[in-house]
Amino acid sequence: MTIAAAPAPAAPTRSIPGPPGLPLVGSGLDIGRRPLRTLRDARRDYGDLVRFHVGPIGLGTDLYAVFSPEGAQQVLGGEAANFRKENAFYDELRTSVGNGLLTSQDDDYQRQRRLVQPLFTRRRVDGYADAIALESRALTARWRAVPDGVVDAADEMSRFALRTVSRILFGADVEEAVAVVHRSFPVLGAYVQDRGVAPIRLPRHWPTPGNRRGVGAQRDLYAVCDRIIADRAVRGADPGADDLLTLLEQARGEDGEQLDRDELRDQVLVFLLAGHETTATSLAFALHLLAGHPEQRRLAQEEAEKVLGGRAPTAADLEELPYITRVLKEAMRLYPAASLIGRRSVEETVIGGYVLPGGSQVLVVPWVTHRHPDHWEEPDRFDPDRFLPEREKGRHRYAWFPFGGGPRACIGQHFSMLEAVLALGVLLRDFDLEVVDHRVALAQGITLRTASPMRIRVAPR
């Protein structure tokens, strides 16, 4: 049964619509087990601001989901100071991967941003194209050796993106980090997600199976980062080294401030997490979508062949691959890696005609906004030409925001697009694609992920 969505009131009201939930758990089970479907259905049934109660009636907590581009802009942009990274999920993430750019706030964040921003200028990021090309070449060689040509796109893109960001971070030390990170990050991510939504969080030092797995994964990640940083400190950076760890160690503020050893590790962990999971998700879904859409695949392959020929890609090719860029943007619309963004309101404010209480737990939901029927025609259809310049002009800035927005927008978004476009161009030039798993189950962790195989068949061209 579909319920008519409640219209926004003419004057601000405190009565925010939402599902009644179950007596003992409210909407907790639905959000915990089926978050993406539950949130999309809620927008359809109740409108662009929806209240969920999690826990027993009269107890528990309220969660407010924001679905409109205008609301997303208000939370992430115009009133960003009133919406902080303070909730159970960020507490757990901060404890697990440290107080880096993704999790820090206030003076800590401003200081880190000042030190790190020069490392992510367009000119600096374009210098990473050689590492992207090197790992793309290694990936194509591995795919050519697969006996039946069947690969899991999600797993392959995770490994590729991790190797690429590890090479950019550590230079020659890439092999030591990749195995540990690939094994440990999924375990730690599931641990953070489970604790972030748990009604009761047991102390981390209690020897439960979940704690042992999660704390063990964290310990392994910290150890490999600390070891690489310590070894680098002993031997010093190689002359002319420009890997990101060297640049982080050398970064200085106007008054000579720099990152200490713990802050270096925290930044490295955040870059490893954010720098590979988001790009991997975008690439995996782009490949899977193209494998199932022959006409769009043909157009993308023709562009890749024309621009790249038989050579390695360079940063200058990014502007010459507009169709492949549109493919990736459409993949990020349909499957945004950061599909849910949490915040906590500080003071009472008004969103979409409703009074949002101070201290509220708030979810901005790119997964739903990117499929909002008021802003996207046939929102479930794969159509890269939605991102033609003339069609983007009239669109709300926050109808599409896979990198967040406002003062906390992702610092690495140019790097992510450069890596994804160049890598996809190489793969499309070198391989034809065919879907094996037409339906792929999704799950929500720190980022959007697959919960079932995403196999495609790749055939050398």
Side-chain angles (χ1 to χ4, degrees), residues 19-267:
L22 299 172
L24 294 180
V25 296
S27 296
L29 287 179
D30 288 336
I31 292 176
R33 293 174 178 174
R34 302 176 294 274
L36 301 178
R37 189 174 78 186
T38 296
L39 290 163
R40 193 176 184 191
D41 289 349
R43 189 220 61 82
R44 178 198 65 202
D45 295 342
Y46 299 101
D48 283 334
L49 180 65
V50 177
R51 169 187 170 272
F52 295 91
H53 188 76
V54 179
I57 295 174
L59 300 172
T61 187
D62 287 333
L63 175 67
Y64 298 89
V66 178
F67 301 127
S68 69
E70 296 80 7
Q73 183 173 27
Q74 188 174 342
V75 173
L76 300 179
E79 295 185 22
N82 191 45
F83 293 92
R84 298 174 57 79
K85 289 189 170 185
E86 290 178 355
N87 56 32
F89 174 79
Y90 277 112
D91 288 346
E92 290 298 327
L93 189 60
R94 195 173 290 116
T95 302
S96 294
V97 300
N99 197 40
L101 272 178
L102 180 63
T103 53
S104 61
Q105 299 192 104
D106 304 325
D107 291 344
D108 284 344
Y109 174 76
Q110 295 300 330
R111 174 176 174 273
Q112 292 175 20
R113 184 94 183 195
R114 285 195 304 271
L115 288 168
V116 174
Q117 184 71 58
L119 279 59
F120 285 88
T121 62
R122 189 180 185 94
R123 180 177 179 182
R124 173 70 71 180
V125 169
D126 285 350
Y128 302 144
D130 288 346
I132 297 168
L134 181 64
E135 291 300 333
S136 297
R137 184 165 64 248
L139 177 62
T140 61
R142 186 167 69 252
W143 279 13
R144 290 182 188 279
V146 176
D148 61 357
V150 175
V151 299
D152 187 312
D155 186 65
E156 289 289 310
M157 292 304 98
S158 178
R159 288 180 179 274
F160 164 77
L162 176 57
R163 289 189 60 86
T164 302
V165 75
S166 296
R167 182 172 297 281
I168 290 166
L169 270 169
F170 303 128
D173 296 315
V174 60
E175 299 298 341
E176 181 180 3
V178 166
V180 175
V181 175
H182 188 73
R183 178 181 70 247
S184 300
F185 252 138
V187 176
L188 188 60
Y191 182 60
V192 168
Q193 178 67 17
D194 289 346
R195 286 180 63 84
V197 300
I200 299 175
R201 287 183 284 170
L202 299 176
R204 285 181 172 229
H205 66 270
W206 286 17
T208 66
N211 278 347
R212 287 199 298 269
R213 287 192 298 270
V215 173
Q218 180 191 33
R219 183 175 57 248
D220 291 346
L221 286 167
Y222 275 44
V224 72
C225 291
D226 285 342
R227 186 164 56 252
I228 291 172
I229 292 169
D231 289 348
R232 188 73 60 86
V234 170
R235 73 171 191 264
D238 297 330
D242 62 352
D243 59 83
L244 198 52
L245 176 56
T246 298
L247 299 177
L248 284 167
E249 290 173 323
Q250 296 173 349
R252 298 292 186 274
E254 293 181 358
D255 58 356
E257 62 181 348
Q258 63 188 102
L259 299 171
D260 63 30
R261 187 65 59 84
D262 287 345
E263 288 177 315
L264 274 174
R265 183 194 60 217
D266 291 351
Q267 300 304 338

Side-chain angles (χ1 to χ4, degrees), residues 394-425:
R395 190 173 296 143
H396 194 285
R397 160 67 183 82
Y398 281 77
W400 183 83
F401 57 112
F403 298 107
R408 299 298 299 256
C410 176
I411 196 173
Q413 56 186 284
H414 176 58
F415 167 67
S416 180
M417 289 302 299
L418 178 71
E419 179 184 1
V421 170
L422 296 189
L424 187 58

Side-chain angles (χ1 to χ4, degrees), residues 316-339:
D317 294 322
L318 180 62
E319 301 299 326
E320 304 302 317
L321 295 166
Y323 189 77
I324 291 175
T325 300
R326 294 201 297 274
V327 166
L328 279 158
K329 285 185 172 183
E330 178 70 343
M332 288 187 280
R333 180 187 73 84
L334 288 166
Y335 302 99
S339 53

Side-chain angles (χ1 to χ4, degrees), residues 269-397:
L269 282 169
V270 165
F271 293 154
L272 283 171
L273 170 64
H276 96 270
E277 286 206 345
T278 54
T279 305
T281 298
S282 302
L283 273 168
F285 280 105
L287 286 167
H288 191 259
L289 286 163
L290 287 173
H293 291 81
E295 178 59 21
Q296 288 83 355
R297 181 173 70 249
R298 179 186 65 79
L299 293 172
Q301 287 173 326
E302 288 176 355
E303 182 178 80
E305 289 172 348
K306 177 181 177 181
V307 173
L308 299 180
R311 61 173 174 81
T314 68
D317 294 322
L318 180 62
E319 301 299 326
E320 304 302 317
L321 295 166
Y323 189 77
I324 291 175
T325 300
R326 294 201 297 274
V327 166
L328 279 158
K329 285 185 172 183
E330 178 70 343
M332 288 187 280
R333 180 187 73 84
L334 288 166
Y335 302 99
S339 53
L340 310 175
I341 302 173
R343 293 290 189 269
R344 184 186 66 83
S345 65
V346 179
E347 298 178 349
E348 181 180 282
T349 190
V350 176
I351 295 181
Y354 295 101
V355 178
L356 183 74
S360 295
Q361 298 297 326
V362 178
L363 271 182
V364 176
V365 192
W367 174 266
V368 176
T369 308
H370 285 188
R371 298 167 181 260
H372 199 303
D374 290 350
H375 300 273
W376 302 97
E377 184 180 354
E378 297 183 79
D380 293 322
R381 182 168 60 89
F382 175 60
D383 178 12
D385 284 344
R386 298 178 197 274
F387 292 92
L388 284 166
E390 59 270 25
R391 293 179 66 178
E392 286 193 281
K393 283 181 181 178
R395 190 173 296 143
H396 194 285
R397 160 67 183 82

